[in-house]
Amino acid sequence: MNMKQVRLPQFHDRAESVWAQFLQALPVIVFFLIMFYSVIFFFGMEYTTIASLVTVIFQGNYKKRKVPTVPLISLLLQQLLLLGLAYIATWNIVLSLILNLVVPFWLIFTKASQFNQLGYFSTLMTFTFMQFIPVDWNGFVIQFEAMTFCCIFVFITIKLYHQMNRGKLGICTERKVMHLLGCILEKFLNDDDISSDLKELFRLQRLLYQEANDKRGKRHVVTTAGKLQYMFAILIQRTTYLVSNQSKVLRPVDEESRKLALDLAEYMQKAGEIDFLSGNRAKTWTLMKEGRRLLAEAEKEKDIFHRHVANFFRMFLFILHQAEVREQGILSEQWEVPAKHRFKERVLAHFRPDTFEMRFALRMSIVLMAGMAFNLLFYDEHSYWFVMNAFLLLRPMYEDSNYRMRTRFLGTAAGCILVALVLPLCGSSIASHLIIAGIMVSCMYTATPGTIVHALFVTCFALSMTTLAMGETMAVFLRMAYIVGAVLFVLVINRFFFPTSLGSQVRYNFQLLFHMHHMYLRMLEDLLTNQLDYWRICDAQIQYHTVLAQIRNDLPQVEKDEKDREYFNKILNITWCMASEIQQMFFQVKHKKRGIEARRIMEQYISYTDYVLNQIQEMLHLKKEKKLKNIEGMKYQRYIEGEPELSSLMTQYARNLSRLYVLVLRRVR
């Protein structure tokens, strides 16, 4: 009796969880079934692979808060181009080898990165899967028609879904951050605990930079929308830095200051209710009017609290103004990346053996060249199962690939058993097989991708279609034989050909993080005599914060020991503060020309900082910087006469650098 009482609630909770997953996946399930049966009805059963390919595109875009029309059309046209390249690759073995070498590099270099590791998937999947069954010209024409039909349907469906669910796709990160900042400030003034809110604020601040990274431009470092997000990310980073040290900076000194702080908290929460980056004047007019009033109030006093409040309002009002005039163009020449840097960044920078893109593109090319050559040379009706499984099993990270090898093999075995038991009971008619296929697809999209259960339903769906043309025993045997072959093949590739593990990637990112700090110092030194290149600082800040976010995301999976995780998180926290301080130095240095003595002090300060950073890297067993100045005979000074704000930032940065040095030194000793 007790056992039943324990199990029933567990079963009920599990059933509720599965039902919730089903409802969440329902739009994708309905979309696939419509595409699946439409392709069969209009074009024929042999072209149903196209339904799976366009469903991946729908699945990756329908939930996005905004899906711009031009990028979506571009993505769908790219599907047609890849279909044509896949057709050419099936002509002969030479073209197959060439295209399966070049296309993976193209798609991985342009669409994937260590911050978006699966960005290549939907497009490379189309190129790969459409090579499986070679067709003649007439067959290709039908494929092209089917793909065009499905792409048009994807476009219409996504636009209709967004129209019908306007306002239900969640609020933007900017609004979440503003509302949370207001709540934190209000709680702080009332002496309430804000520790959990600060954790969420740091997470959202990192997310802002990641979203700005997704909006990089071709000619300019970011698009118009990306510039607005980047500027807002800077504002929030500065404010987050101050909020995390509120006891020193944002503590109101009298009742009048407390009232201003409460008004600021209320203003932030009100801004969180308005889509202020949309450029809609009607929505932001009241926000701008109230912001100007509070700015005037903050400018009446000159203490540090009022100065920081005024700085916040100046930048926020500037962002609102930029959002309002965005259609007239807010990207000046200063945001334009020079042509040589664009070429180097997008092409040459990836052609290094230590980059994520290069290593993964090499592995993927080897898998596709070998797999497609096998399919062409030893072609039978289902030899493509080998390369299909190899493509799906090969993942950017060694750990993820190994996990999928286990789950795919076990799920395939379980699916073969289930098919052997169920299909004989359902008859041999085409209608019964199509009904079973539809049920299996519904279960497949409900299950979590990559799990044993997901692989089980994938296998059941594939075999329910395959057994229309061949016996169940042969289909099951081939399915298992090809999955075993694919697992062994991918295991060898991952082990011996340019392996990339999560641990090595985290270490590479730590190296990159310290290198970025040296780059910040070089940029600060350059600012002493030259103008600020907005594209350069924007590019550097976005890269720094996306690398930082990636380390924080991967660290718990790499460092299992809690003390080790705490140690590395302390390093990340200190370096985040240092990045915030030096980024504020950029704008302090930018607005004032300095004399020879002030420049000399800054140059020596930078050289000493470079030297200490290099010592820390050496203790962490990270690669040291090559080009550093000799500090012998230099005088270290972190104060410049007549510049209290810059001197304060230099002092705080030096203190954090000292904290970092001591932290690492203690660990080493």
Side-chain angles (χ1 to χ4, degrees):
M1 184 68 180
N2 288 336
M3 288 287 289
K4 289 182 179 178
Q5 288 177 344
V6 171
R7 285 176 181 173
L8 276 176
Q10 290 178 345
F11 175 79
H12 182 264
D13 291 344
R14 181 59 184 159
E16 280 193 340
S17 175
V18 171
W19 179 248
Q21 284 181 277
F22 172 76
L23 291 178
Q24 191 173 11
L26 190 58
V28 180
I29 293 170
V30 172
F31 178 86
F32 176 83
L33 291 177
I34 293 172
M35 286 287 86
F36 181 68
Y37 294 122
S38 296
V39 169
I40 291 174
F41 180 78
F42 290 114
F43 304 101
M45 199 172 294
E46 60 268 38
Y47 302 104
T48 52
T49 301
I50 293 172
S52 300
L53 300 175
V54 294
T55 301
V56 173
I57 297 175
F58 175 79
Q59 192 173 18
N61 288 277
Y62 84 102
K63 275 188 177 180
K64 289 182 179 178
R65 204 174 62 85
K66 290 182 180 179
V67 184
T69 300
V70 174
L72 181 58
I73 292 174
S74 177
L75 175 62
L76 296 175
L77 290 175
Q78 201 170 69
Q79 294 293 107
L80 297 174
L81 171 63
L82 290 166
L83 176 65
L85 291 175
Y87 172 61
I88 295 171
T90 61
W91 289 358
N92 57 59
I93 191 70
V94 174
L95 287 171
S96 177
L97 292 173
I98 292 172
L99 287 172
N100 282 290
L101 172 66
V102 173
V103 173
F105 270 86
W106 164 41
L107 296 177
I108 291 171
F109 277 22
T110 57
K111 294 182 177 293
S113 70
Q114 59 171 309
F115 316 118
N116 180 24
Q117 295 182 0
L118 297 178
Y120 71 93
F121 189 76
S122 63
T123 47
L124 189 54
M125 185 179 178
T126 296
F127 174 71
T128 303
F129 280 33
M130 295 314 295
Q131 294 180 65
F132 288 163
I133 303 177
V135 294
D136 58 15
W137 174 252
N138 290 331
F140 171 70
V141 170
I142 298 174
Q143 279 185 343
F144 193 87
E145 290 172 350
M147 181 66 82
T148 303
F149 167 79
C150 291
C151 285
I152 293 171
F153 191 82
V154 168
F155 180 83
I156 294 171
T157 306
I158 289 176
K159 290 300 180 182
L160 282 176
Y161 185 87
H162 277 251
Q163 194 69 28
M164 293 167 59
N165 292 274
R166 183 177 293 178
K168 299 179 183 178
L169 296 173
I171 62 174
C172 63
T173 309
E174 294 85 358
R175 289 172 58 188
K176 291 178 184 177
V177 171
M178 285 296 285
H179 190 273
L180 182 59
L181 271 173
C183 292
I184 288 173
L185 186 54
E186 190 175 48
K187 285 183 179 181
F188 171 75
L189 294 169
N190 295 324
D191 295 318
D192 295 333
D193 179 47
I194 60 172
S195 55
S196 60
D197 294 308
L198 281 177
K199 287 182 181 178
E200 177 64 7
L201 181 61
F202 282 118
R203 187 190 71 81
L204 290 174
Q205 183 253 322
R206 292 193 296 270
L207 184 59
L208 283 170
Y209 276 106
Q210 288 174 282
E211 291 179 353
N213 184 58
D214 293 337
K215 293 183 175 65
R216 284 183 177 270
K218 292 182 179 180
R219 182 176 175 183
H220 298 88
V221 66
V222 285
T223 62
T224 299
K227 180 186 174 183
L228 290 171
Q229 280 196 307
Y230 163 69
M231 290 192 300
F232 188 76
I234 291 178
L235 172 64
I236 297 305
Q237 184 191 344
R238 293 181 188 175
T239 310
T240 302
Y241 173 78
L242 296 173
V243 166
S244 60
N245 296 277
Q246 284 186 44
S247 58
K248 299 177 183 176
V249 177
L250 289 184
R251 175 71 68 179
V253 294
D254 52 37
E255 192 58 37
E256 187 178 340
S257 298
R258 178 180 171 82
K259 182 180 181 304
L260 177 61
L262 286 170
D263 287 344
L264 173 60
E266 184 182 356
Y267 180 87
M268 287 174 166
Q269 292 180 63
K270 188 185 297 182
E273 298 170 3
I274 299 171
D275 192 3
F276 51 82
L277 292 187
S278 66
N280 188 322
R281 189 173 181 82
K283 290 182 178 180
T284 57
W285 175 251
T286 305
L287 208 57
M288 295 177 75
K289 184 179 178 182
E290 180 67 11
R292 291 192 190 100
R293 184 186 71 79
L294 292 172
L295 172 61
E297 193 173 326
E299 287 177 331
K300 291 177 182 177
E301 303 291 337
K302 298 298 181 184
D303 61 76
I304 190 168
F305 170 75
H306 283 80
R307 196 159 60 241
H308 282 299
V309 172
N311 287 340
F312 171 85
F313 278 111
R314 285 192 198 99
M315 189 163 182
F316 185 64
L317 289 170
F318 177 70
I319 291 170
L320 291 181
H321 173 71
Q322 291 278 284
E324 194 176 31
V325 301
R326 63 197 296 178
E327 297 305 324
Q328 301 168 28
I330 62 174
L331 291 170
S332 63
E333 290 182 0
Q334 290 178 302
W335 292 83
E336 186 176 333
V337 182
K340 65 176 183 178
H341 287 280
R342 292 202 298 267
F343 178 75
K344 183 179 178 181
E345 175 66 24
R346 294 185 181 182
V347 182
L348 297 182
H350 296 312
F351 278 98
R352 299 198 317 269
D354 60 343
T355 62
F356 161 84
E357 294 86 355
M358 183 67 172
R359 298 177 76 84
F360 182 56
L362 284 167
R363 290 204 308 280
M364 182 59 80
S365 294
I366 292 170
V367 165
L368 292 186
M369 284 193 296
M372 291 305 177
F374 171 83
N375 190 46
L376 283 175
L377 295 173
F378 304 100
Y379 179 74
D380 67 49
E381 252 185 276
H382 299 286
S383 60
Y384 67 85
W385 278 349
F386 170 72
V387 64
M388 178 191 73
N389 281 301
F391 171 81
L392 295 173
L393 292 175
L394 187 71
R395 293 305 227 193
M397 291 298 152
Y398 181 83
E399 293 84 353
D400 187 23
S401 203
N402 272 4
Y403 170 75
R404 285 179 180 267
M405 279 187 257
R406 290 194 298 272
T407 58
R408 189 82 179 182
F409 174 78
L410 294 174
T412 300
C416 288
I417 294 170
L418 186 61
V419 163
L421 294 174
V422 172
L423 277 184
L425 304 176
C426 300
S428 58
S429 67
I430 294 176
S432 63
H433 279 252
L434 291 179
I435 291 171
I436 292 171
I439 295 170
M440 292 300 108
V441 160
S442 300
C443 297
M444 179 181 77
Y445 283 113
T446 301
T448 304
T451 60
I452 293 174
V453 175
H454 183 264
L456 182 152
F457 290 120
V458 169
T459 303
C460 290
F461 167 71
L463 291 179
S464 65
M465 299 299 294
T466 304
T467 49
L468 285 170
M470 67 163 52
E472 291 163 24
T473 304
M474 179 57 70
V476 167
F477 171 77
L478 289 175
R479 191 77 181 184
M480 285 305 302
Y482 285 130
I483 188 65
V484 170
V487 166
L488 294 174
F489 178 51
V490 173
L491 196 62
V492 170
I493 295 295
N494 278 338
R495 182 77 175 174
F496 299 107
F497 293 87
F498 312 99
T500 304
S501 67
L502 198 58
S504 65
Q505 190 62 44
V506 168
R507 184 172 182 78
Y508 175 81
N509 285 339
F510 262 108
Q511 175 69 53
L512 189 56
L513 202 69
F514 276 90
H515 174 70
M516 289 300 300
H517 276 282
H518 287 284
M519 292 302 298
Y520 278 148
L521 291 168
R522 298 282 72 74
M523 292 163 67
L524 183 62
E525 187 175 34
D526 185 63
L527 266 176
L528 297 173
T529 52
N530 300 312
Q531 285 189 333
L532 176 65
D533 289 325
Y534 283 102
W535 74 265
R536 192 185 297 276
I537 182 61
C538 175
D539 183 63
Q541 285 180 283
I542 288 175
Q543 184 179 17
Y544 178 86
H545 288 284
T546 45
V547 169
L548 182 68
Q550 192 66 44
I551 295 175
R552 288 191 183 277
N553 182 64
D554 295 339
L555 195 59
Q557 302 174 61
V558 174
E559 297 295 340
K560 303 300 181 184
D561 186 86
E562 190 174 342
K563 288 184 178 179
D564 289 338
R565 284 200 305 273
E566 185 180 354
Y567 166 69
F568 286 113
N569 275 318
K570 283 181 180 178
I571 291 176
L572 294 177
N573 291 338
I574 295 172
T575 56
W576 179 86
C577 289
M578 291 166 61
S580 299
E581 286 147 4
I582 200 168
Q583 287 161 14
Q584 291 178 68
M585 286 187 219
F586 289 147
F587 296 95
Q588 287 291 328
V589 170
K590 177 182 79 122
H591 291 301
K592 183 178 179 181
K593 289 186 177 181
R594 284 161 183 79
I596 296 174
E597 180 62 18
R599 286 204 305 271
R600 185 184 63 81
I601 292 171
M602 283 294 294
E603 286 170 356
Q604 293 187 353
Y605 175 87
I606 290 167
S607 297
Y608 263 90
T609 304
D610 253 340
Y611 177 80
V612 177
L613 272 173
N614 228 24
Q615 295 300 306
I616 295 170
Q617 285 172 250
E618 187 174 22
M619 288 189 287
L620 288 170
H621 304 291
L622 299 174
K623 187 168 63 175
K624 295 169 68 176
E625 297 296 310
K626 295 179 181 178
K627 297 180 180 179
L628 294 181
K629 293 180 181 178
N630 186 358
I631 64 169
E632 189 176 347
M634 288 187 180
K635 182 182 177 183
Y636 181 65
Q637 186 176 331
R638 55 192 191 189
Y639 180 81
I640 298 177
E641 191 70 35
E643 299 199 38
E645 288 195 36
L646 178 58
S647 299
S648 173
L649 288 167
M650 291 167 65
T651 301
Q652 193 59 41
Y653 183 94
R655 286 174 180 166
N656 279 319
L657 183 63
S658 178
R659 283 175 58 210
L660 182 60
Y661 184 88
V662 172
L663 175 68
V664 176
L665 183 62
R666 284 176 180 170
R667 171 86 170 203
V668 171
R669 288 181 174 175

